[in-house]
């Protein structure tokens, strides 16, 4: 989304002044192109607050990777500052994936997850990962042992991955797995795209 939107300029008259002492249409057009390119390439973020799992938590079966959901219906959801080149959302609540198909190669996606796990039995081990099913790649970001049954454990974790052509068309899922049964309440996801 360009910030400078004037039409391409053409010179009306050519001045006799040396180039160092004047600005020509080509100079104005170059400024327009440079500023718009910088603006169109910058990053941004979106904050997605879930509402559904507060009343209906996600059921976790023992030793089974389970997708975390987020309906984006929470009052705190904020998408105003997402990158200008992303026309949709960074989170797809229909298939519970991070949407990176509009993010160019070479960007870094910073993901913060915030969820609560309620263990159905004592002495469980809980793992969380970002999973790319199309290329069978996984990035683990949580490994924790839980001692107490029915305790609500709150986890806020941040991890990152970069975009390239291998993962741009892949779904990106956020998943948890526990050694025992339990439930998850998703509080929110913060998805940030960084540009260098």
């Amino acid at each position: 989304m360009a910030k400078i939107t004037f039409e391409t300029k053409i010179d009306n008259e050519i001045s006799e002044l040396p180039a160092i002492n004047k600005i020509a249409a080509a100079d104005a057009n170059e400024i327009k192109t440079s500023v718009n390119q910088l603006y169109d390439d910058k990053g941004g973020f979106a904050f997605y607050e879930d509402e559904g799992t507060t009343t209906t938590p996600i059921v976790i079966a023992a030793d089974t990777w389970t997708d975390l959901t987020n309906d984006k219906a929470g009052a705190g959801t904020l998408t105003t500052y997402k990158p200008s080149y992303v026309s949709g959302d960074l989170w797809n609540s229909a298939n519970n994936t991070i949407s990176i198909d509009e993010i160019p190669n070479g960007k870094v996606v910073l993901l913060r997850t915030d969820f609560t796990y309620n263990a159905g039995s004592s002495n469980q081990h809980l793992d969380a990962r970002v999973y790319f099913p199309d290329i069978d790649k996984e990035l683990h970001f949580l490994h924790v042992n839980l001692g107490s049954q029915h305790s609500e454990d709150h986890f806020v974790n941040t991890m990152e991955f970069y975009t390239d052509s291998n993962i741009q068309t892949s779904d990106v899922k956020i998943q948890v797995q526990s050694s025992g049964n339990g439930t998850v309440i998703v509080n929110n996801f913060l998805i940030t795209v960084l540009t260098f």
Side-chain angles (χ1 to χ4, degrees):
M1 177 185 290
K3 290 303 254 187
I4 300 177
T5 57
F6 62 71
E7 292 183 21
T8 300
K9 301 300 180 190
I10 57 171
D11 289 319
N12 185 31
E13 281 186 36
I14 305 297
S15 170
E16 298 297 324
L17 290 171
I20 195 167
N21 294 332
K22 66 180 178 183
I23 184 165
D27 300 319
N29 294 333
E30 182 181 356
I31 292 168
K32 172 187 171 183
T33 300
S34 297
V35 169
N36 286 344
Q37 184 177 15
L38 287 171
Y39 178 76
D40 289 345
D41 197 43
K42 72 178 189 172
F45 73 91
F47 180 77
Y48 299 107
E49 187 175 283
D50 182 67
E51 188 176 85
T53 61
T54 58
T55 54
T56 308
I58 302 165
V59 176
I60 307 298
D63 302 316
T64 304
W65 284 108
T66 304
D67 296 347
L68 293 187
T69 62
N70 187 325
D71 62 12
K72 306 183 289 191
T77 292
L78 178 65
T79 61
T80 307
Y81 304 105
K82 67 184 179 183
S84 61
Y85 44 82
V86 174
S87 61
D89 268 322
L90 292 172
W91 178 257
N92 182 332
S93 57
N95 60 8
N96 298 308
T97 58
I98 299 171
S99 298
I100 60 171
D101 54 323
E102 292 185 283
I103 300 174
N105 289 342
K107 306 292 186 197
V108 172
V109 177
L110 191 65
L111 169 66
R112 190 192 74 201
T113 61
D114 182 335
F115 64 90
T116 302
Y117 180 74
N118 189 340
S121 60
S122 299
N123 302 317
Q124 290 189 17
H125 181 83
L126 180 68
D127 291 305
R129 71 180 181 179
V130 172
Y131 180 55
F132 306 85
D134 294 353
I135 57 173
D136 198 30
K137 179 180 179 180
E138 59 186 4
L139 300 170
H140 290 254
F141 62 89
L142 176 67
H143 309 281
V144 65
N145 291 316
L146 306 171
S148 302
Q149 180 178 4
H150 303 301
S151 67
E152 288 193 353
D153 294 288
H154 185 202
F155 299 100
V156 179
N157 295 86
T158 302
M159 62 90 54
E160 62 189 46
F161 60 90
Y162 63 90
T163 59
D164 66 18
S165 57
N166 288 330
I167 66 170
Q168 267 186 321
T169 57
S170 179
D171 292 331
V172 184
K173 295 185 168 287
I174 304 168
Q175 298 181 322
V176 296
Q177 175 180 268
S178 179
S179 59
N181 297 333
T183 59
V184 170
I185 295 172
V186 173
N187 299 311
N188 56 68
F189 301 147
L190 174 64
I191 304 170
T192 304
V193 180
L194 303 176
T195 298
F196 300 95

